[in-house]
């Protein structure tokens, strides 16, 4: 029985000695699911987290010596919105087990500031610092425990590598730039980071040096295709570590199961090639509150395959709290109307009879309506008002104009060009149905209004007196519980203001 125990522990002991002989780069985890591990990919990417979240990550790398190199990580993220920018604070705990003999444990604090650069893009700058302890085990058999050829469990081992530990700090930083489309969905990203800039000594051998090497990591991705439910986003990651480098090249393929607000769901397949002779395959299920992702690295080189059996990873993310995100007001986004804003209008819904400001206290509402109607008659005929009062319709999840809409806007453009000398303004108010998140619908509705304005401008209409508003899901004119009702709600309305 004792001999069996000796045989069991010796591989761990020798595996640990082999790891001690190499630089400390083994303690720097490089997760294959790197877009789910900001702490180990890019501290700047911490700033891309938009809601309060907890993430769990696990990596198991099987070796030929019946040993596993495992990394277990727990991290939490808390964003604070400052105007249109975002400050994200985060914390991480890591257990990195190189064998039964050698392990590292510690934690990190991260801070990243995400600066809104345009309506659809942001630049995040991140910094993280932590403290780790590297240690060896002590319950292993050595030569000193064999007396006259027999194992003596009471004999004390004085092996210098047993029961050793060293503590060291780590400091890392990075930049991360992200672009979304007009629906608020990921379109492109690029980032660069430097890990272990302080180069701490992690040696367990007295005065010897075993500095944790500085590691440079960069990531990039660009969506090359997006359909109604399917998208393709090629990505790449380059890691330079201790004089060596490797590259991940591949793509993520996403299929949206549902686009309905809090029930939005998608499945994402990832396929990458790692220049260390690995093929990486991943599968993820994502929804706003929960994400589950799995990956497997398969060796495809015969030389490496004889020493390693594969790598398994698991990533889980929970959203604990949804953060309200302020709408961005920029050069393109002119107005985003909040739900509480009131618009004084006729109960009949006649767009031509909408007024911009409420009546003065001393003036009755009936008098205001009469004056507005009189002004409208002076500028537009009844037929022209009826024409302009018609909405412009849109297909689901788009802000593209079809041929019927263009033909209608051609008529409107002809009317407006004849009124260029008149004193009036036009409000273009975009709307959506209730499918999708509030934030996405707000920007989608605004872009619908913008595209109508742009089309009229292309037809020679002076757009200086045209303002655009994104109303989102507000003021439905149809029942969102039916297909026909949702179709009616996807619209842009003209409102004449005098």
């Amino acid at each position: 029985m004792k001999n069996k125990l000796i045989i069991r522990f010796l591989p761990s002991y020798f595996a640990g000695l082999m790891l001690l002989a190499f630089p400390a780069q083994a303690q720097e985890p490089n997760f294959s699911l790197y877009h789910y591990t900001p702490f180990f990919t890019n501290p700047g990417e911490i700033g891309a987290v938009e809601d309060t979240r907890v993430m769990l990550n696990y990596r198991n790398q099987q070796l030929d010596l019946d040993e596993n190199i495992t990394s277990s990580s727990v991290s939490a993220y808390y964003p604070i919105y400052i105007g249109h920018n975002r400050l994200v604070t985060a914390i991480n705990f890591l257990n990195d087990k190189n064998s039964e003999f050698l392990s590292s444990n510690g934690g990190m604090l991260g801070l990243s500031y995400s600066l809104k650069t345009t309506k659809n893009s942001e630049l995040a700058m991140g910094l993280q610092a932590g403290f780790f302890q590297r240690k060896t085990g002590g319950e292993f058999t050595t030569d000193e425990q064999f007396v006259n050829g027999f194992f003596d469990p009471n004999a004390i081992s004085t092996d210098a590598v047993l029961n050793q530990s060293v503590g060291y700090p780590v400091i890392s930083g990075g930049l991360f730039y992200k672009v979304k489309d007009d629906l608020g969905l990921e379109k492109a990203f690029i980032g660069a980071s430097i890990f272990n800039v302080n180069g701490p000594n992690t040696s367990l051998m007295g005065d010897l040096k075993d500095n944790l090497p500085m590691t440079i990591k960069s990531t990039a991705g660009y969506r090359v295709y997006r359909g109604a439910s399917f998208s393709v986003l090629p990505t790449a990651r380059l890691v330079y570590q201790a004089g060596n480098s490797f590259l991940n090249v591949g793509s993520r393929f996403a299929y949206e199961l549902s686009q309905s607000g809090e029930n939005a769901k998608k499945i994402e397949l990832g396929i990458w090639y790692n220049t260390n002779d690995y093929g990486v395959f991943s599968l993820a299920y994502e929804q706003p509150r929960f994400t589950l992702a799995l990956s497997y690295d398969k060796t495809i080189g015969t030389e490496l395959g004889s020493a390693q059996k594969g790598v398994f990873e698991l990533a889980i993310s929970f959203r604990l709290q949804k953060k309200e995100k302020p709408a961005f007001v920029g050069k393109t986004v002119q107005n985003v109307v909040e739900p509480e804003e009131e618009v004084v209008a006729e109960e009949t819904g006649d767009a031509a009879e909408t007024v911009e400001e409420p009546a003065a206290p001393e003036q009755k509402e009936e008098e205001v309506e009469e004056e507005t109607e009189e002004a409208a008659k002076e500028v537009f005929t009844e037929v022209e008002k009826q024409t302009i009062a018609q909405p412009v319709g849109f297909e689901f999840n788009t802000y593209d104009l079809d041929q019927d809409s263009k033909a209608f806007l051609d008529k409107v453009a002809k009317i407006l060009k004849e009124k260029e000398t008149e004193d009036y303004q036009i409000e273009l108010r975009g709307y959506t149905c209730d499918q999708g998140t509030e934030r996405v619908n707000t920007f989608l509705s605004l872009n619908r209004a913008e595209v109508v304005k742009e089309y009229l401008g292309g037809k020679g209409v002076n757009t200086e007196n045209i303002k655009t508003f994104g109303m989102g899901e507000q003021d439905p004119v149809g029942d969102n519980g039916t297909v026909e009702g949702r179709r009616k709600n996807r619209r842009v309305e003209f409102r004449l203001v005098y």
Side-chain angles (χ1 to χ4, degrees):
M1 181 65 180
K2 291 179 180 178
N3 290 334
K4 292 182 179 179
L5 289 174
I6 294 170
I7 294 172
R8 176 185 175 188
F9 286 121
L10 280 177
S12 295
Y13 178 74
F14 289 125
L17 289 177
M18 291 174 62
L19 289 167
L20 287 173
F22 290 96
Q25 68 221 42
Q27 300 175 53
E28 179 62 45
N30 289 307
F31 288 89
S32 296
L33 293 170
Y34 57 88
H35 47 297
Y36 295 118
T37 57
F39 268 98
F40 307 104
T41 303
N42 186 338
E45 197 171 340
I46 292 173
V49 179
E50 299 183 359
D51 298 305
T52 302
R53 285 190 176 271
V54 171
M55 296 184 184
L56 309 175
N57 299 92
Y58 175 75
R59 177 179 174 87
N60 187 334
Q61 182 174 355
Q62 296 177 300
L63 302 179
D64 193 46
L65 296 172
D66 292 327
E67 283 292 329
N68 294 335
I69 297 177
T70 62
S71 297
S72 303
S73 168
V74 179
S75 54
Y77 306 80
Y78 185 79
I80 302 171
Y81 283 84
I82 305 172
H84 300 296
N85 304 320
R86 182 171 59 250
L87 177 68
V88 181
T89 59
I91 188 170
N92 172 269
F93 298 97
L94 173 70
N95 171 255
D96 200 27
K97 196 172 184 180
N98 299 126
S99 68
E100 293 290 336
F101 179 70
L102 179 65
S103 64
S104 299
N105 297 278
M108 292 179 284
L109 294 175
L111 192 66
S112 182
Y113 188 74
S114 183
L115 178 67
K116 197 82 170 178
T117 52
T118 68
K119 178 186 73 169
N120 295 332
S121 65
E122 56 188 29
L123 174 66
M125 299 154 280
L127 182 68
Q128 66 189 39
F131 187 84
F132 286 82
Q133 183 183 54
R134 188 186 191 200
K135 62 180 181 179
T136 59
E139 297 181 358
F140 294 93
T141 301
T142 64
D143 291 340
E144 294 174 328
Q145 293 176 289
F146 284 86
V147 181
N148 297 322
F150 294 95
F151 173 68
D152 183 0
N154 296 319
I156 299 175
S157 174
T158 59
D159 196 312
V161 299
L162 297 180
N163 290 313
Q164 300 297 311
S165 66
V166 60
Y168 57 92
V170 292
I171 300 175
S172 308
L175 297 173
F176 187 74
Y177 182 72
K178 180 175 69 174
V179 179
K180 294 185 177 182
D181 61 17
D182 290 319
L183 300 179
L185 303 175
E186 183 180 39
K187 183 177 182 180
F189 64 87
I190 187 169
S193 57
I194 301 177
F195 286 80
N196 314 316
V197 294
N198 55 322
N201 183 18
T202 65
S203 174
L204 293 163
M205 303 292 191
D207 296 331
L208 295 179
K209 292 291 185 181
D210 186 13
N211 295 91
L212 197 64
M214 185 172 66
T215 303
I216 299 174
K217 300 182 182 182
S218 59
T219 57
Y222 184 80
R223 193 180 70 204
V224 296
Y225 173 79
R226 174 167 174 79
S229 299
F230 182 71
S231 63
V232 181
L233 194 152
T235 66
R237 175 181 64 167
L238 177 64
V239 177
Y240 179 83
Q241 188 176 57
N244 299 309
S245 63
F246 69 87
L247 178 67
N248 281 80
V249 181
S251 185
R252 288 152 49 189
F253 305 88
Y255 181 78
E256 296 181 2
L257 302 172
S258 169
Q259 300 172 329
S260 178
E262 288 297 296
N263 295 318
K265 303 179 182 69
K266 75 173 181 178
I267 293 177
E268 186 172 272
L269 172 68
I271 302 176
W272 296 276
Y273 171 70
N274 185 317
T275 55
N276 281 336
D277 287 332
Y278 276 103
V280 183
F281 308 91
S282 73
L283 183 65
Y285 172 75
E286 295 185 6
Q287 57 168 287
R289 298 180 185 228
F290 174 77
T291 296
L292 173 65
L294 303 170
S295 76
Y296 186 76
D297 298 13
K298 175 65 177 176
T299 56
I300 56 179
T302 55
E303 183 175 333
L304 183 62
S306 63
Q308 301 192 27
K309 299 179 180 179
V311 183
F312 168 78
E313 277 191 29
L314 170 68
I316 304 176
S317 175
F318 300 94
R319 190 186 76 188
L320 302 182
Q321 179 184 6
K322 181 180 179 181
K323 289 286 186 175
E324 294 301 325
K325 308 164 187 66
F328 178 67
V329 181
K331 193 171 183 180
T332 303
V333 182
Q334 295 185 16
N335 293 282
V336 176
V337 180
E338 299 298 330
E340 62 269 20
E341 178 175 337
E342 295 183 359
V343 179
V344 180
E346 283 269 318
E347 290 184 0
T348 59
D350 190 341
E353 296 178 351
T354 303
V355 295
E356 185 177 18
E357 297 180 356
E362 66 274 10
Q363 194 171 15
K364 295 182 179 179
E365 184 177 352
E366 293 79 2
E367 296 176 356
V368 175
E369 292 174 353
E370 291 176 2
E371 292 179 6
T372 302
E373 185 176 353
E374 189 67 29
K377 288 180 180 179
E378 294 177 1
V379 178
F380 295 91
T381 66
E382 288 298 324
V383 175
E384 289 172 340
K385 287 195 301 179
Q386 293 175 6
T387 299
I388 296 174
Q390 299 179 46
V392 181
F394 292 85
E395 292 298 322
F396 174 71
N397 211 23
T398 72
Y399 50 91
D400 299 325
L401 295 170
D402 58 23
Q403 292 302 317
D404 290 340
S405 296
K406 291 178 180 179
F408 165 68
L409 291 176
D410 289 341
K411 297 179 182 178
V412 175
K414 183 178 179 180
I415 295 173
L416 298 182
K417 285 194 292 185
E418 295 175 354
K419 312 293 182 179
E420 288 184 344
T421 59
E422 303 292 343
D423 184 19
Y424 72 94
Q425 285 190 335
I426 291 179
E427 291 181 357
L428 295 176
R429 295 180 173 250
Y431 297 87
T432 68
C433 62
D434 67 346
Q435 304 297 292
T437 64
E438 180 180 350
R439 181 176 184 273
V440 169
N441 284 339
T442 298
F443 283 106
L444 177 59
S445 65
L446 181 61
N447 277 285
R448 286 174 174 170
E450 287 284 341
V451 77
V452 171
K453 176 181 177 179
E454 182 179 349
Y455 186 85
L456 293 174
K459 292 298 180 178
V461 175
N462 180 9
T463 59
E464 292 183 359
N465 63 340
I466 297 180
K467 294 183 178 180
T468 56
F469 294 83
M471 306 294 291
E473 305 169 14
Q474 299 178 57
D475 306 327
V477 295
D479 182 3
N480 277 312
T482 66
V483 174
E484 179 62 22
R486 291 193 294 270
R487 185 190 64 79
K488 291 180 180 180
N489 292 333
R490 299 191 293 266
R491 71 198 190 279
V492 168
E493 293 182 354
F494 289 81
R495 304 229 176 173
L496 300 176
V497 181
Y498 301 92

